[in-house]
Amino acid sequence: MIIPMRRPEGAAAREVEEKELREYLVNIAREVRWDIVRMIGLAGSGHPGGSLSCADILVCLYFHKMNHDPKRPDWRHRDRFVLSKGHAAPALYAVLARSGYFDRDELWKLRRLGSMLQGHPDRLKTPGVEISTGSLGQGLAAAVGMALGLRMEGNPARVYALIGDGESQEGGIWEAAMLASHQRLDNLTAILDNNGLQIDGRCCDVVGLGDVPAKWRAFGWEVLEVDGHDVLDICSALDEAEGFQRPCMIVAHTVKGKGVSFMENNVDFHGKAPTPEEMEKALKEIEGS
Amino acid sequence: MTAQRETRNTRDGYAAALLELGEKDERIVVLDADLAKSTQTEKFKQRFPERFVDCGVAEQNLMATAAGLAATGKIVFASTFAIFATGRAYDQVRNTIAYSNLDVKICASHGGITVGEDGSSHQALEDITLMRAIPRMKVVVPADYYETREAVKAVAYIDGPAYVRIGRPKVPVLFDEDYRFEFGRARVMRGGRDVTMVACGYMLHQALDAADELAREGIEAEVLNLHTVKPLDREGILSSVSRTGRVVTCEEHTVVGGVGGAVAELLVEEMPVPMRMIGIRDSFGTSGSAEELVEHFGLDARHIAGVVRGFLA
């Protein structure tokens, strides 16, 4: 006699779903990290540290949270993503390629003359890039503009912006923060890649940001804190952020260079490409993770 | 100088254009940075409050926010004083608006020395140079109420970013209700064979007055209204200069890389001719009334006529 398998229900069902979701996202994140390291290694320049620290966040956005269609990059109702910390372009390119915005082979031409993949995101060259960034402190304001524009036309799409902690030393971040809360932009979610490092060293040693969540609360934002490498934690925060009547900042605690042991928390890999040997070593480590 | 002639604010021309545009096109959005009463965007705000955003005293944020709005398909007018729009927010204008080729029309008031009493910190004297240097940026400097109104309506539908420089003072009305603005085409205001005078914005009426004065002495100056500084009307300028053989440029702006610079860049490669540049000679502005400053910096018709006279002698 065959006893029919019963699909789990209730809490048990959620557990299975979560397990599947976690595995799905973690696998993509592993592939995305591999692509990031390889494209920067082949380019011979770029920013691996801050690309790896935000990889899990971007994977959660593009492969779970965001409503988007790579076949229709101009679809009016798509959710928008702005990479305010534009130097993490390799992470964005990896998720865009894997989503299907362009051929993955383009990744290996990163930063080369004539490539669609510029050192920093260029909306005119790369399908899926909403706005060109690279000069820090401006992407969040552009995201505020997008959120205003969508609200004006009654468009239900949401806007997501990823900013850096070093980037938060730019005054423009706080100008945008004020306008967003004044305008009560409930269609805007920002995520802070709080990896603690910038080019010149630890953020707290360069110009300390102080109590970051308190600062954002003081600027009138809802604030959530997550482990920026726990995909379920990130996803549930992204869900929760939709329920507020105000803009929400998700402070994601991350590790710079996450996923490659010799890059982790190593400030040298902020803006330095791995050597060919380092690249091979890093790729092997990611494959084995 | 003519004793009595009608003068009007160019800013009012801007406000009129915004109302007209806003009425027939829902994509028109206007942003200001706490100067809506000065730039005259206040009128649009009252009519279309849902399409107006005051960004507060934060010009950099004004420009980056405008870029984001334009990225959702809006035609965005961003206004503040010229000095803040182009200097304070230069990086936002260059890297976020122009590099992204977004439909942000920067319509800045209080361009030039005629800001007057507020002094140097508020007198934009390098804005044309700064904006002209940015790829994809169009630069328009209208001369009177009607030209401002029509220029603003035109740039709304020209793809990508544009900079429109508007002044503070009332200026003589040179055109009328039926004026047709031709973007990118220098307009011959009066013909002449002895010298080509190129002027725009506030300087156009001064150049025309200078030409009147010169005509009484038998000097026939051709006056070109270079309302579009970029893209430059190469053909229009070359055609005039090929007949006159001499050029005098007049700008309410530094001579470093501005209107004179644009004309010189063209002529030095295509048709080198003797040239004089009237403008601010690499210095900051200062406080004073607009009229006093125009005379102090040698931008008035009498001074222009003197320069032309000496040049042709």
Side-chain angles (χ1 to χ4, degrees), chain A:
Chain A
M1 195 174 105
I2 298 164
I3 300 166
M5 282 249 301
R6 283 192 57 192
R7 287 194 67 80
E9 286 169 2
R14 250 196 324 277
E15 218 167 88
V16 170
E17 269 173 31
E18 285 190 346
K19 188 163 169 279
E20 281 173 1
L21 178 62
R22 182 193 293 274
E23 273 174 23
Y24 169 68
L25 294 174
V26 165
N27 278 331
I28 296 172
R30 184 187 303 113
E31 292 170 353
V32 162
R33 285 201 161 81
W34 195 91
D35 286 352
I36 290 170
V37 169
R38 182 146 193 268
M39 83 175 98
I40 297 174
L42 292 181
S45 72
H47 300 81
S51 298
L52 291 167
S53 65
C54 68
D56 300 302
I57 298 162
L58 293 200
V59 167
C60 291
L61 283 167
Y62 276 87
F63 292 90
H64 177 66
K65 187 72 234 174
M66 276 169 43
N67 206 6
H68 68 118
D69 182 357
K71 299 283 172 289
R72 290 182 296 163
D74 294 331
W75 178 38
R76 282 205 79 75
H77 285 181
R78 72 192 184 279
D79 289 337
R80 270 74 166 175
F81 173 74
V82 177
L83 184 67
S84 196
K85 47 170 284 182
H87 54 282
L92 178 60
Y93 297 155
V95 296
L96 288 176
R98 206 159 279 276
S99 298
Y101 283 91
F102 51 83
D103 197 299
R104 189 161 158 263
D105 283 342
E106 294 293 335
L107 297 179
W108 321 132
K109 299 177 203 157
L110 172 71
R111 289 177 167 245
R112 292 193 199 288
L113 184 63
S115 171
M116 70 151 69
L117 303 182
Q118 297 290 295
H120 293 79
D122 179 344
R123 78 185 277 269
L124 301 180
K125 291 202 168 73
T126 313
V129 169
E130 297 286 352
I131 195 156
S132 305
T133 53
S135 183
L136 293 175
Q138 302 180 25
L140 183 62
V144 168
M146 289 178 193
L148 284 165
L150 295 174
R151 187 172 70 181
M152 277 176 197
E153 66 192 34
N155 189 325
R158 290 189 67 79
V159 182
Y160 295 91
L162 182 81
I163 69 169
D165 48 1
E167 183 186 15
S168 303
Q169 290 159 356
E170 290 279 7
I173 291 292
W174 305 100
E175 292 185 4
M178 267 188 279
L179 183 59
S181 67
H182 178 80
Q183 291 284 343
R184 304 190 74 85
L185 293 175
D186 58 3
N187 56 349
L188 174 66
T189 300
I191 304 114
L192 172 66
D193 180 4
N194 199 31
N195 63 35
L197 294 178
Q198 58 187 110
I199 303 180
D200 278 355
R202 298 190 301 167
C203 298
C204 60
D205 293 332
V206 178
V207 174
L209 298 164
D211 187 340
V212 171
K215 276 200 167 76
W216 284 95
R217 276 191 200 98
F219 274 77
W221 287 52
E222 297 286 348
V223 177
L224 301 171
E225 286 188 72
V226 299
D227 173 346
H229 301 302
D230 181 329
V231 291
L232 293 185
D233 207 11
I234 297 167
C235 288
S236 68
L238 290 170
D239 288 341
E240 196 180 342
E242 288 183 63
F244 299 123
Q245 308 299 306
R246 301 190 288 175
C248 178
M249 168 56 76
I250 299 174
V251 178
H253 298 292
T254 57
V255 173
K256 198 147 183 167
K258 176 72 178 180
V260 178
S261 53
F262 61 90
M263 290 184 182
E264 286 189 3
N265 285 317
N266 182 349
V267 76
D268 291 343
F269 280 101
H270 169 91
K272 191 187 76 166
T275 63
E277 299 73 40
E278 285 170 336
M279 181 180 89
E280 287 310 322
K281 199 174 148 196
L283 293 178
K284 284 215 171 61
E285 185 181 338
I286 294 167
E287 286 161 19
S289 67

Side-chain angles (χ1 to χ4, degrees), chain B residues 65-76:
Chain B
T65 303
L69 267 156
T72 64
K74 305 287 182 284
I75 298 169
V76 186

